[in-house]
Structure formats: structure tokens, C-alpha cells
């Protein structure tokens, strides 16, 4: 009553807000923009590649996934954002690893190319052997190796791409898995353990990797479980719990 002009102005602004679509926000615009960028930068996965006997992509190069030329002008943070945005909509494991951390993992992988990982199950743990082949890390359950030997198929493959390591300081990683044996949060637990054991600053933790590779008679399975429990990764995947990492 005291300021009719002010009242009219406020009503007009309110009507404008009500006309906006439900869920409209600057955040939504940002997400749509990122999705559009991803469509331009990423190819259909596996383009130009063949599938191996086990169902995994053979020679899965970064060029078959990502338009590398288009991202060369972008910063490491922008590439990280695009990579995470693209793969967050997919049922898989992915990461952007700092160059220094991957350097440490890679140097240790040359000396110790295999290791035993423990995955929490309903009753106890299931063990998986991880074996490096170039920059690919193949996981196969220990029971499969014991029954099928060298012909045991991979159940999870982590693909590491160091093409942008020197220039951008990052290494891109994604994965393929056999969904009959593993779900994403289980595969993520195994991927997290690679950094736990290969990128650790604790000499006692990495010593387990060295022992497994060079003094197998001294290796103790329970030591892996102890490290896993101490790190918290074991507790995250107990039955009834799903990791959001």
C-alpha cells in the first residue's frame, strides 16, 4: 500500500522466475555444456579395435577413446573434468592419476609385475592376482589360476594412458570388467588397492609386493588382508555396504 510501484516490480520478477523450467540453474547449464564438450571430444569406445577371446578390447588405445588433438590446448584440470564427466555416466572404473604418482607405480611395476589382492566377500575374502602387461593391469581370481593355469581369462583390466603425462602432468585410466564376476564397486576396490600397495610411502606396505615377487615362500596372505583392513578399504566393501568412491 505504501509503495505500489515497488510491489508491481517485485510481482513482475516473481512471474519471470515462475516461467523458468523446473530444475533450471546455472549448474544445469554447466553440466549440459560439459556433456556437449564430451560428445565432441570422445569417440565411441573401442573404435578401430578388436575384441579378445575373453571379451575385452584388444589394443585399446587412448586415440580410440579420446580426440587427443582436441584436448592438447586444454589445461590438466579441464581434461580431468571432461574425463570424469564422461565416465561418471558409465558403469565402469576410471581415474586421473597425477604424473608423479604414476611414475612411482610404473617404476615399481617394472620390478614387481604381479601381486595378490584381497576382495571382501560374504564369508572372508576372495583373492585376485594382478599382472601388469605394458600399461595394462589384468586381474584374475586366484581360484581361476589354480584351476585353469595360464589360460585363466582376465576378469578386470585397468588401462593406463601416459600420453599426456609429460605435457599435462596426468595419466588417464579407465577399465573393462566381466560383469558376471565383478560389479563396479568391487572393481573399484581392486583399483584402489593398486595405489595402496604400489604408490605407498610406507616401506612395510610395498615390502609385501617385493616379497610376493621375489621371495614367494615368505609371503603371507593374511598380511594383505591386514593392510587392506588398516587402510579402510576392507570395511567399505563389507556385505550390505557399497563404496561411493
Amino acid at each position: 500500500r505504501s509503495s505500489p510501484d515497488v510491489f508491481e516490480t517485485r510481482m513482475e520478477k516473481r512471474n519471470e522466475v515462475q516461467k523458468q523450467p523446473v530444475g533450471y540453474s546455472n549448474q544445469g547449464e554447466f553440466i549440459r555444456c560439459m556433456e556437449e564438450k564430451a560428445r565432441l571430444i570422445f569417440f565411441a569406445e573401442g573404435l578401430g579395435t578388436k575384441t579378445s577371446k575373453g571379451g575385452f578390447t584388444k589394443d585399446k588405445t587412448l586415440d580410440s577413446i579420446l580426440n587427443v588433438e582436441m584436448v592438447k590446448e586444454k589445461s590438466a584440470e579441464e581434461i580431468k573434468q571432461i574425463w570424469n564427466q564422461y565416465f561418471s555416466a558409465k558403469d565402469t572404473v576410471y581415474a586421473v592419476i597425477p604424473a608423479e604418482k604414476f611414475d612411482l607405480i610404473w617404476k615399481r611395476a617394472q620390478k614387481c609385475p604381479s601381486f595378490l589382492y584381497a576382495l571382501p566377500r560374504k564369508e572372508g575374502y576372495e583373492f585376485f592376482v594382478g599382472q601388469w602387461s605394458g600399461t595394462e593391469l589384468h586381474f584374475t581370481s586366484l581360484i581361476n589360476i589354480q584351476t585353469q593355469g595360464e589360460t585363466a581369462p582376465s576378469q578386470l583390466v585397468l588401462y593406463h594412458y601416459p600420453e599426456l603425462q609429460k605435457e599435462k602432468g596426468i595419466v588417464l585410466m579407465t577399465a573393462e570388467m566381466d560383469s558376471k564376476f565383478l560389479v563396479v564397486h568391487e572393481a573399484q576396490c581392486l583399483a584402489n588397492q593398486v595405489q595402496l600397495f604400489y604408490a605407498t610411502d610406507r616401506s612395510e606396505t610395498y615390502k609385501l609386493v617385493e616379497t610376493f615377487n621375489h621371495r614367494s615362500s615368505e609371503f603371507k596372505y593374511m598380511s594383505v588382508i591386514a593392510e587392506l583392513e588398516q587402510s579402510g578399504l576392507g570395511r567399505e566393501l563389507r556385505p550390505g555396504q557399497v563404496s561411493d568412491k
Side-chain angles (χ1 to χ4, degrees):
R1 287 195 298 271
S2 61
S3 305
D5 292 339
V6 173
F7 175 76
E8 289 293 335
T9 302
R10 287 180 178 173
M11 287 300 293
E12 286 175 5
K13 287 183 178 180
R14 182 185 177 189
N15 288 335
E16 287 176 7
V17 171
Q18 288 177 338
K19 289 177 182 177
Q20 291 178 348
V22 175
Y24 175 86
S25 67
N26 290 333
Q27 177 95 7
E29 287 293 335
F30 171 76
I31 291 172
R32 280 191 288 276
C33 180
M34 291 300 297
E35 287 175 345
E36 180 61 30
K37 285 182 179 179
R39 278 194 291 273
L40 293 172
I41 291 172
F42 286 88
F43 299 116
E45 285 189 74
L47 182 65
T49 59
K50 296 180 180 179
T51 302
S52 65
K53 184 178 178 182
F56 292 97
T57 306
K58 185 179 179 181
D59 301 325
K60 185 170 181 171
T61 64
L62 182 60
D63 284 326
S64 70
I65 304 171
L66 183 72
N67 190 329
V68 178
E69 288 301 317
M70 282 192 71
V71 301
K72 280 186 176 179
E73 301 302 317
K74 298 186 180 296
S75 68
E77 187 57 36
E78 286 176 316
I79 296 171
K80 178 180 179 180
Q81 207 169 41
I82 292 168
W83 186 264
N84 290 341
Q85 175 72 28
Y86 179 77
F87 283 105
S88 65
K90 297 182 176 293
D91 219 18
T92 190
V93 174
Y94 58 94
V96 178
I97 306 170
E100 300 80 8
K101 180 172 287 189
F102 185 76
D103 264 339
L104 180 58
I105 293 172
W106 182 241
K107 286 176 184 176
R108 289 175 168 177
Q110 305 309 294
K111 298 176 183 177
C112 302
S114 59
F115 189 59
L116 190 74
Y117 302 85
L119 189 65
R121 292 301 195 190
K122 187 174 182 180
E123 295 180 1
Y125 291 83
E126 181 177 8
F127 289 98
F128 284 77
V129 175
Q131 177 72 43
W132 286 87
S133 176
T135 54
E136 296 179 6
L137 181 52
H138 294 248
F139 290 87
T140 308
S141 67
L142 183 59
I143 189 68
N144 275 2
I145 293 176
Q146 290 171 339
T147 56
Q148 301 181 52
E150 294 182 358
T151 62
S154 299
Q155 293 164 311
L156 169 68
V157 183
L158 303 183
Y159 301 95
H160 300 85
Y161 300 109
E163 284 89 334
L164 301 173
Q165 184 173 6
K166 288 184 179 179
E167 188 177 347
K168 303 296 182 180
I170 55 175
V171 173
L172 303 175
M173 186 273 278
T174 186
E176 288 183 323
M177 65 184 181
D178 190 333
S179 58
K180 295 192 299 290
F181 297 97
L182 292 168
V183 293
V184 173
H185 63 273
E186 293 169 340
Q188 184 68 65
C189 180
L190 292 172
N192 288 344
Q193 288 183 60
V194 178
Q195 297 202 29
L196 171 64
F197 290 104
Y198 277 85
T200 181
D201 293 326
R202 294 182 71 244
S203 59
E204 299 88 347
T205 303
Y206 178 61
K207 189 176 180 181
L208 292 176
V209 181
E210 291 181 311
T211 302
F212 182 81
N213 283 268
H214 304 296
R215 300 182 302 279
S216 58
S217 61
E218 301 174 20
F219 183 77
K220 297 179 180 179
Y221 286 33
M222 291 305 297
S223 298
V224 175
I225 294 174
E227 285 291 334
L228 187 61
E229 291 292 349
Q230 184 176 325
S231 72
L233 292 176
R235 290 190 297 273
E236 289 175 6
L237 286 187
R238 275 301 173 198
Q241 296 180 331
V242 176
S243 170
D244 60 356
K245 291 190 176 182

